[in-house]
Amino acid sequence: MSRPQLLQLAIPLVQTYGFTRAALSHSVFRLPKPHSEQLSDSAVTALFGEGNDARKTLIDAWLEDARQHMRASPSPTIKAILTQRLKQNEPVLQFLPEAFALLASPTNGLPPLDPLPALKHAGSVADEACHIVGEHNIGLAWYSRRATLGAVYAAAELHQLNSPSTVYDFLESLLDSSGKVESALQDAGTFAGYIGRSWAGIIKSRGPF
Amino acid sequence: MATAHPPTSNPSSVYLDPDKCGDPAVTTTPPNLPQHQRHALDSALRVDQAGELAANYIYMGQMAVLGRDPVTGPLIQDMWDQEKKHLAVMNKLQDQHRIRPTVLWEVARVAGFGLGAVTALMGKEAAMACTEAVETVIGEHYDDQLKEMEGLPASHPSVPVLKSVIEEFRDDELGHLDIAVENHSQRAPAHALLSTVVGAGCKVAIELCKRI
């Protein structure tokens, strides 16, 4: 019985108990040799941290597990992979707003809100999606691609928290518009390149001043 | 005059061989690495990729000025071709080990080109002195990385490949260092000052790229 093993066993219990210390303490019932009693509060604290730290550990483990499940998507396209990830949210949808709020609240009270966990979450989903599809980006395109996909996924997830039935259409429309924005930016860049080269030609042909 | 032609089959060729593109040694990363090792691998490969990128652009800058020189031109072109190969392998390593590339990507390109062009404008010997300084720092850096990589789990197929690729690149860079010295880098004007400045700049760049 190890900490990672118990964490893995607690993940399916989130549907029933939410992202709570209860889910962690009931994980011992799912061991190959189940315990007769759930873990005591002090045992949960010793293994996973005290108070909300234990809940944050469980949330991180659940998010990591959901990222692993992205690979089970039926087709290796960005849309299918992000859809697959959104589907992972469905069984625990009512617990997610509190989970995200927990991640955003700092352990010490200052600063008031910590945006980094949310950015890391969206960024890692985007990174996993790019990796599964096999996209090869170098340089700053690596960052811009993940920023775009992270923003699309974050918007879709927020939409899902409010209106779960329309989220897949929303995701599709977001991916379409982000694709249009990317190609518009690329066209603008090409056009700017042409203008720049024309000016360079004009300046060269004017000869020495 | 020594040239920079390596033997035909070397460790990095597995990354450039289309037949081997499904091999786990080139497509998978060791799973369940401890956090500190994963972080160390991430920053090490990030620095290496940035270094190869900068080296490419340094040689490009030097070629822009000295490309037409009958002696130095082909020499720089040879070394540049090897660096292009190094960069291609580094890009594959980036995908394989899920490395975050440096934010200073564009800075590395511009600064590399600028350094190459400026030192080439100072003369052939200055260009060779720049190469000597950069390759010295890079060669030592790869050596330090090889020592750190001793801790990686040798059971995963990608680890011996990674170590042999880094060894090969270290030897290539030291080969470039030898070529630079043989081609009179030591005769460059203010050689000591130039080497110190370029070497210090490289060390600062390495520390920055490790972090961002």
Side-chain angles (χ1 to χ4, degrees):
Chain A
M1 172 183 104
S2 67
R3 183 180 178 276
Q5 187 187 16
L6 286 177
L7 213 42
Q8 273 302 112
L9 292 171
I11 286 169
L13 293 176
V14 170
Q15 292 179 32
T16 323
Y17 297 101
F19 293 99
T20 56
R21 293 169 67 94
L24 290 167
S25 65
H26 282 84
S27 62
V28 287
F29 294 145
R30 304 188 70 238
L31 281 169
K33 290 208 188 112
H35 287 202
S36 52
E37 274 180 9
Q38 64 189 45
L39 280 178
S40 68
D41 201 56
S42 47
V44 171
T45 300
L47 280 169
F48 304 109
E50 59 174 41
N52 284 333
D53 289 345
R55 300 179 68 188
K56 284 187 192 177
T57 309
L58 178 58
I59 296 169
D60 286 334
W62 187 91
L63 288 174
E64 170 71 38
D65 186 66
R67 272 198 298 279
Q68 300 290 330
H69 277 103
M70 283 164 75
R71 292 187 200 160
S73 132
S75 80
T77 59
I78 293 284
K79 177 164 165 252
I81 293 169
L82 291 181
T83 304
Q84 174 73 10
R85 176 59 186 83
L86 287 170
K87 287 208 165 86
Q88 300 297 313
N89 285 344
E90 281 171 3
V92 300
L93 210 50
Q94 71 267 39
F95 302 120
L96 280 179
E98 196 198 348
F100 290 138
L102 258 179
L103 283 183
S105 52
T107 35
N108 297 323
L110 281 171
L113 272 183
D114 187 10
L116 280 179
L119 294 172
K120 261 193 223 166
H121 163 56
S124 41
V125 168
D127 185 46
E128 189 70 33
C130 288
H131 180 75
I132 296 172
V133 168
E135 277 189 19
H136 174 61
N137 297 313
I138 49 171
L140 294 181
W142 190 94
Y143 287 93
S144 59
R145 183 69 175 138
R146 276 148 184 79
T148 317
L149 283 182
V152 163
Y153 176 74
E157 197 171 53
L158 284 172
H159 182 104
Q160 189 182 30
L161 292 177
N162 287 314
S163 161
S165 50
T166 55
V167 66
Y168 302 109
D169 292 332
F170 185 62
L171 176 68
E172 187 169 351
S173 72
L174 278 179
L175 285 171
D176 282 341
S177 18
S178 77
K180 284 195 196 122
V181 166
E182 274 174 6
S183 66
L185 282 173
Q186 224 172 345
D187 288 343
T190 314
F191 189 61
Y194 290 151
I195 304 274
R197 260 178 271 182
S198 318
W199 275 104
I202 290 173
I203 291 171
K204 264 193 229 170
S205 67
R206 290 189 63 173
F209 289 11
Chain B
M1 180 180 86
T3 55
H5 293 294
T8 43
S9 98
N10 32 17
S12 62
S13 53
V14 68
Y15 280 99
L16 302 172
D17 183 352
D19 294 332
K20 299 248 172 60
C21 63
D23 191 333
V26 302
T27 49
T28 57
T29 186
N32 306 322
L33 269 186
Q35 180 86 323
H36 69 277
Q37 272 193 342
R38 173 60 61 191
H39 187 71
L41 181 65
D42 186 65
S43 62
L45 288 179
R46 174 163 54 253
V47 172
D48 291 346
Q49 189 189 30
E52 297 298 347
L53 178 72
N56 261 277
Y57 278 85
I58 289 175
Y59 286 125
M60 194 193 289
Q62 290 184 344
M63 276 302 282
V65 176
L66 291 173
R68 272 176 290 255
D69 187 286
V71 168
T72 330
L75 204 56
I76 298 177
Q77 182 67 53
D78 246 358
M79 293 195 285
W80 185 14
D81 290 338
Q82 254 195 331
E83 297 294 353
K84 283 181 192 163
K85 205 196 72 176
H86 286 191
L87 184 59
V89 173
M90 277 298 159
N91 289 339
K92 294 238 152 90
L93 281 168
Q94 177 206 308
D95 283 340
Q96 178 185 359
H97 293 284
R98 311 281 297 271
I99 306 298
R100 173 178 70 79
T102 177
V103 179
L104 299 173
W105 188 271
E106 296 299 321
V107 174
R109 286 177 56 194
V110 170
F113 189 89
L115 178 63
V118 163
T119 50
L121 284 169
M122 286 163 62
K124 294 185 282 192
E125 291 82 14
M128 289 294 138
C130 165
T131 302
E132 181 198 346
V134 171
E135 301 294 8
T136 308
V137 174
I138 291 187
E140 282 172 3
H141 182 67
Y142 276 140
D143 224 19
D144 293 339
Q145 283 189 348
L146 276 171
K147 293 199 187 81
E148 282 170 14
M149 284 180 189
E150 299 290 323
L152 288 174
S155 51
H156 193 270
S158 66
V159 172
V161 173
L162 177 62
K163 286 186 191 164
S164 55
V165 165
I166 299 288
E167 249 178 44
E168 179 200 335
F169 286 7
R170 179 202 59 190
D171 294 341
D172 285 347
E173 305 297 357
L174 293 176
H176 293 178
L177 170 60
D178 291 338
I179 291 170
V181 172
E182 277 169 29
N183 284 277
H184 316 302
S185 66
Q186 309 268 339
R187 291 189 201 164
H191 173 263
L193 179 64
L194 188 59
S195 302
T196 314
V197 168
V198 172
C202 287
K203 289 192 183 137
V204 168
I206 287 175
E207 288 305 316
L208 279 174
C209 288
K210 268 192 204 166
R211 289 159 179 82
I212 57 178

